[in-house]
Each structure stands twice: as C-alpha cells, then as structure tokens.
Amino acid sequence: MSSATAVRAGRPGFVWVAPALTFFGLFALLPMVVVVYLSFTAYDGLNPPQWVGLENWTRLGADPLFIETLRLSFLLTAASWVLQTAVALPLGVWLARRGRSRALLAAIFFIPLLMSSAAIAVLWGTLLDPNFGLASVLGPLVGIDDGNIIGDSRYAFAAVILVIGWQYMPFHTLLYQAAARAIPVQLYEAARIDGAGRWRTFRSITVPQLRDTIITSGVLIVVGSMTTFEVVLILTGGGPGTSTRILPLHMYLEGFRSFDMGYASALAVVLLVIGTALSLFIARVTGYRKMASQREGM
Amino acid sequence: MSTSSRVRRTLVAAALATGLAVTAACGTAGPQEAGGGDELRLWTLQNEGINTVQQAAVDGFNAEGGPQIELTTYLNDPYKSALQTAIGSPNGPDIFYNWGGGNLKGYVDAGQVADLTAALDADPEVKETFIPQVLETGTIDGKVTGIPMQGVQPLSFFYNKDAFAEAGVTEFPTTWTGFLEAVDQLKAAGIQPIALAGAQTWTSMMYPEYFLDRIGGPEKFQAIADGEPGAWRDPAVIESMRMVQDLVDREAFGTNFTAVDYDNQASQALLTSGRAGMELMGSWQVTSLNDNFPDFLEQDKLGWAPFPAIEGGAGDPANVIGNPSNYYSVSAGSANVEAATEFLMNGMTSPEYVQGMLEKGQVPALTGIEDQVASTGPFADFNTYTYEQTKAAPTFVQSWDQALPAAEAQTMLTNLSKVFTKEFTPEQFADAMDTASR
C-alpha cells in the first residue's frame, strides 16, 4: 500500500477509497466485463450462453436498424446539446441575479427537475394525445390539424427532443445559475467603467467565465443523450415505425423483448465505447483537463 | 393474462426506468430457498381479482394436508425476464404461468417443461373437460405441456350502438363488403369508423391476423409458426397487408391512429364518446370498459359481433383469433411433478374455480359449463357469447406476437407498424419477414 506517499501529502490513505472501489468493481467493472463476454455468445437467458465468436459483431454491420438507431442517437445528442445549451445558459445567467420575481420564476421553472422520467413521459404522452390532449388544440395552430404529432414520423423525433429538453433544461440552468453567481462582481464593475454594454459584458466576461460549466454541462448532455431511454420507451416505444428508435431502446428491445441477449450485449458495448470516447473527446479538445483558472488578474 | 400485459406496460416501464426491473419484480412473497418435495412454488401474474380465485384453489389443495403450494405473483414484463432466467434453477418455480404456443415452446425446447400427456390420458374425464381448440395451444410437439388456467380471450368487434344508429347502420355487418359499406356510412356521418390504438402495434396486428385467417385459412399462419420457408411470402399474407392499407387509405382508423394509446384508454374513449364507431379488441374489453366507462355499459350502448366473413376466402368465418387462454405448466425439474399435475388437473376444473373466474369476467376454457356461464356475474350475456363462439370455432388461432418465437414476434411488430404507416408495401413486409424468419 502506498500510504506513505499519501500520508506525506496529508491526504487519507488507500483504505479510505476501498469501499467505493469495491462497489465500483462489483457494480460497474464486473458487469462491463460480463457484457463484453456475452457479446461473443448466443444467450436467450434460458439456455446457457453459447460461444459464437464474432457472430454478433458481424451482425451489427448487416443490421440496417443498427445504423439507423445509431444515426438517431447522434442526432438526438447533437440536437439536445444545442437546444438545451441555447436555453439553459442565458436563462441560468438571468436567474443568477437576485430578485423576487426571478426567484419565483426559478422555483416554477425547476419543477420538471423534481419529476421522474417515467412520470414525465406519461404526462407528455397524455398531453400529446391527438384526440383528448393538448395536441388536438395546439396541433391545428401549427398546421397539424389532426393533432398527430407523436404518431407522425416527421414530427415524432422532434417531439421527443423537446420533451427530453424540457426535462433536463432546469438542471443545466441550475448549473449555469450557480456558475454565473460565482463570477466576481468586480469584473462587471470594471467593464461598466470601461463602457461595455450588456451584450459585450455577456460575450466577453460571462461566457468565458462559464467555460468549464459549458463543458461540464456538455459532457453530461452528450453522455445522457446517448444513453437516454425511458422517456422514449414510454412516449413512443420507438415508433411510429422505427422513427424514434434510438440505440439504447434498440438494445433493450433486442435484449428484453426478443431475448437476444448476446446481440444486445454487443449493442451495449458499442454504446459504452461511444459514450466514453465522446466524453474523452470533449474533455481533450476543450482542454478541460487542465482546469486552468479563467479569472485573469484575480 | 394479456389484458394486464398490455395495460401494465407503462407501469412496468416505470419500474425499469428506475433500474428495478428484475429486483422489484417480486410480488407478494419472495421465492423460498430450494426445499424438498413438500414445497411447491407457483408463479403467476399479478391481478388482484384473479389472484384471489387462484389463492382459493391453492388453499383448497393445501388443506388436504399433502404437499403445500405457495403462490407468488409478478408484474408482466418483469415476470418474463424472471422466468426466463430462473426456470430450471433451484429457485425456479414448480408451476409457472405462460402464454402457450411459441412462448411455451421455447421452454419445452430447453427441456424445462414436464410432459403431462400421460397424466391426462390416464384421466380422460378431466382431459375431455378442456375445450380441445384451447388445449391445443398448450400442446407442443404432440405433448400436453400447458393446462388452460384462465379465461378464453377471442377478439371481437365492440361497437357503439348510438353511433351506428346515427350513421344508419342497423346491424353489424357479417360480410366484408357490408363492413366496408358501414365504414363509409359512418364516415359520411362524421364519425371515425374504427378506433385503433395504433401507438402499440399489438392492437393493429389484430386486423391482418383476421384477414389472413379469413382469406387463406388457419393453415397459412400455422405454416409461418412452423417456420416453413417462404411462408411469409404467401399471396394470402400480401393480400392481408393490402387490405390493411386499404383500410388506412379509406381513413377507416381516422388519420392520427398511430398516436392513439391503449394504455390510457384513448381508443376506448373514442368509442364510448361516439367519436368512433367500433373497436376490434379481446374479450377483456368488456371488463375494462366496465372499469373505466361504467355509464356506457349501464346505458346499454355497447354492442359486440364477430369479425365478418370475407367473400371468396378459404377460411371458415367461425374461426376465431386471440388468446385461447393462459396456461400453467410444470417444471421438468420440479421435485414433485405428480402433486403439481394433480393440482392443475383438479384445481383448474373444479366448480369453485369456474365460479370464481366467471365472477371476475373470465370464461374458463372448459366444456359443459353453459348454465354456469349464463347465470353468473355481471357479464353473463357477453360471457355466453364468448363461450359459444369459442366452443363453436373450428380453430382458435393464437395471437401472432405470442405464437411466434420472441425475436420473430418483435420484428413482425416493427415491420407491421411500417405497413400501417405505409413505409412498407405489402411486398416489402413479406420480404422483410421472410429474411427475418430464416
């Protein structure tokens, strides 16, 4: 044990992290190893897994649904990032300033954060009901006369992105609110003395100061969107047709409806690799790991 | 039972979402440790009403002082996963609920199910009590491996008498030509002819199921279920899909059916409010309407009728489609197969069990219970219709999604949804299924 170095640095020894490491090993690493193993087997949960070599992996290339679901997952990720950041950042900054009306609005706005994903999906499913829900009222206003939003492959995916956005925007707003409050007031005072306007201060002070938060929030959105699942399962079940079948849902249906656990495991490994690669990529490209202070002159 | 399977899907999804899929699956009592031959575990689906009837049957059996049975209940989707992984293990059930057909075949092929043929042959009196067409679905490769334990669930049309009267349709049509006329009349009267909860494909599936049976006869689907090469490419399959798209083109289902959900009773609301004229659904519809729209039944607005005959078709119009029943099977690895078999043969046919099921709106798949069916419970009229229809049916074709192996069923549902949205032509559907079934 390297407790000597740890003690010298004045930090707790290895033993302190042992419980966390054990849990991580048992409930994260071990399942990952098992899933990689299963991806090389044919397994229906009933008969013992049978080694089939690369069969599941070559099947990936021949499965048109795999390409389609992968494309949809990337699309969902990109759209979620743009939409959620575009709304959450300005809103968070606005909410960061004190004021009774802002506090009240913030409290209302954060309500989606308190609801479970399943509840949100059921709620929106009811609202988007074409005959008895809000869709029958709002649909005609946007040119969808029969209220058929989640039942039309042209609109269903957009509806899913909006519902997921509605669910997670409050969380990211909260991140931005906290980060914006941490920006030293002196920076703004100095800028005002220099004659900078509101837009200029936002662009030259607020956004650069929020850099780390933008990246953190971005990583969370990217990884979250790649693995998002329950809202889509309950809201559209992947339909109509396969127009909202994203990769995690495809994995679930293959594993737990078709009982094709081997192939589902291969899909799970793909998800794992993509999710990890994406978050590492974001961290690298943005220089996040350096975590340099942006408070110049402070 | 299939009702709960569908209605509960949302709840189950909620459980999944919180990652409790399998762990939260346990219902009333957790499985005990592997015991000797004196303890039998019976696994079944959670359904408050029916569970009490099942518990009564178990209590009666236990009171005889022999081996004791313990009842454990599960929610639908978690049950499927739990059973799939636990069967054959020391913690698995001795008696388990299943859907018969392709669902049961998977377990039989894996050598996990006891053959009950000899026991039934030894007691012909009990054997002949079961409606043969229904027992057939519990018979795999010529061996009886499942005993019907729940009500029969054929699919019928349910219609709104007021809406039909408003459109000038006096009687429910018995031929397809007449049916299409009725569709046009309803549409002309500003009523959506058919309510279809197309957000879930199992509801949409009912139409091609009946089309294929009426056009080509039950042999066509049998060939598909048997995995015969080219069975999905049969002209009757393609014609069935063409008829589906004809209904879509006529706007028989309205225009937004792909967004209509069954789990929140949206299609039933269309039917009962008179915005739609009829709905094709399983016999559980009456119980469900009674729960959710009691006024509709009290005001005697509900009519029901069998699926019409299709002129020139090879299939007998008396054939029915649906869930013949649900089944109890005995694990091959059970320490006391005899006791389990005895419980199934006597328990599922006892007058008390029949009485209990009828009161809950379930018609057991037994012969010679006419009087009891006609005199018991709030749905006696409808139950009599269901019972007579089932008994008279030359064949009772099991719902496709339950008759086929899980993977093929899933692909079928996906491809079928594309037929309804017209992303697939009938030929593309046949090709896709042909490829998938190889």
Side-chain angles (χ1 to χ4, degrees), chain B residues 40 42 50-64 69 71 95 116 120 123 125-127 129-130 147-151 326-328 330 337-358 364-366 369 372:
Chain B
L40 293 169
L42 187 156
I50 293 168
N51 288 157
T52 57
V53 183
Q54 293 164 332
Q55 188 62 55
V58 166
D59 290 344
F61 184 85
N62 289 348
E64 285 170 24
I69 296 179
L71 188 76
I95 302 170
L116 309 178
L120 278 172
D123 198 345
E125 207 173 302
V126 170
K127 187 181 181 182
T129 308
F130 297 106
I147 300 285
M149 46 63 73
Q150 207 145 293
N326 294 112
Y327 299 82
Y328 276 148
V330 179
V337 174
E338 297 77 37
T341 311
E342 191 199 316
F343 168 70
L344 293 189
M345 288 179 52
N346 299 322
M348 301 300 103
T349 53
S350 76
E352 298 78 31
Y353 190 74
V354 173
Q355 185 79 15
M357 292 303 260
L358 283 170
L366 305 174
I369 54 170
Q372 243 180 312

Side-chain angles (χ1 to χ4, degrees), chain A residues 84-292:
Chain A
Q84 293 181 30
T85 308
V87 175
L89 199 161
L91 199 58
V93 171
W94 184 75
L95 289 171
R97 289 183 55 180
R98 318 274 162 181
R100 198 177 293 165
S101 59
R102 283 174 214 250
L104 185 69
L105 273 173
I108 295 170
F109 189 73
F110 289 141
I111 286 174
L113 206 53
L114 306 174
M115 296 168 68
S116 81
S117 295
I120 283 171
V122 171
L123 170 75
W124 278 96
T126 311
L127 289 175
L128 290 172
D129 183 288
N131 296 300
F132 303 99
L134 267 185
S136 62
V137 182
L138 297 179
L141 300 179
V142 293
I144 305 168
D145 289 339
D146 56 359
N148 192 13
I149 298 170
I150 50 171
D152 190 316
S153 38
R154 283 170 299 175
Y155 315 123
F157 195 62
V160 164
I161 291 170
L162 286 173
V163 171
I164 293 175
W166 183 84
Q167 179 186 7
Y168 288 109
M169 271 181 226
F171 173 72
H172 295 281
T173 305
L174 200 61
L175 286 184
Y176 285 118
Q177 185 193 27
R181 281 194 178 154
I183 301 173
V185 195
Q186 296 93 314
L187 291 178
Y188 291 106
E189 284 167 357
R192 206 178 306 128
I193 291 167
D194 286 346
R198 269 191 190 177
W199 171 241
R200 183 63 202 257
T201 23
F202 178 73
R203 201 162 52 92
S204 303
I205 297 174
T206 312
V207 173
Q209 289 287 328
L210 291 178
R211 188 184 140 94
D212 281 346
T213 312
I214 294 172
I215 296 164
T216 307
S217 149
V219 170
L220 289 172
I221 292 174
V222 165
V223 176
S225 304
M226 278 312 288
T227 55
T228 202
F229 164 70
E230 59 270 36
V231 168
V232 187
L233 174 75
I234 301 171
L235 198 58
T236 67
T242 51
S243 58
T244 58
R245 194 193 279 215
I246 49 174
L247 191 54
L249 185 64
H250 188 46
M251 177 190 82
Y252 168 78
L253 293 174
E254 288 290 338
F256 291 96
R257 293 281 166 81
S258 300
F259 288 112
D260 200 343
M261 304 280 186
Y263 187 55
S265 300
L267 292 170
V269 174
V270 171
L271 262 176
L272 181 72
V273 170
I274 292 177
T276 314
L278 272 176
S279 54
L280 282 179
F281 175 78
I282 297 174
R284 273 284 157 80
V285 165
T286 53
Y288 178 60
R289 302 172 94 198
K290 289 185 208 121
M291 279 289 191

Side-chain angles (χ1 to χ4, degrees), chain A residues 43-47 65 116-119 122 125-126 128-132 136 146-153 229-230 233-237 239-243 245 252-254 256-261, chain B residues 9-10 12-14 16-18 22 77 80-81 83-87 106-107 109-110 112 192 199 255-261 264-267 269-270 273 275 406-408 410-411 414 417-418 421 423:
Chain A
Y43 181 46
D44 60 0
L46 181 59
N47 299 291
L65 272 179
S116 81
S117 295
V122 171
T126 311
L128 290 172
D129 183 288
N131 296 300
F132 303 99
S136 62
D146 56 359
N148 192 13
I149 298 170
I150 50 171
D152 190 316
S153 38
F229 164 70
E230 59 270 36
L233 174 75
I234 301 171
L235 198 58
T236 67
T242 51
S243 58
R245 194 193 279 215
Y252 168 78
L253 293 174
E254 288 290 338
F256 291 96
R257 293 281 166 81
S258 300
F259 288 112
D260 200 343
M261 304 280 186
Chain B
R9 201 158 276 173
T10 320
V12 167
L16 262 177
T18 44
V22 181
D77 281 5
K80 290 181 180 172
S81 315
L83 180 65
Q84 186 97 355
T85 45
I87 195 167
Y107 297 109
D109 288 349
Q112 300 289 2
Q192 178 182 316
T255 56
N256 57 22
F257 66 89
T258 45
V260 178
D261 199 349
N264 62 14
Q265 287 91 37
S267 58
L270 284 174
S273 66
R275 287 171 67 171
E408 191 178 352
Q410 200 55 45
T411 313
T414 304
S417 71
K418 292 187 171 184
T421 57
E423 287 168 72

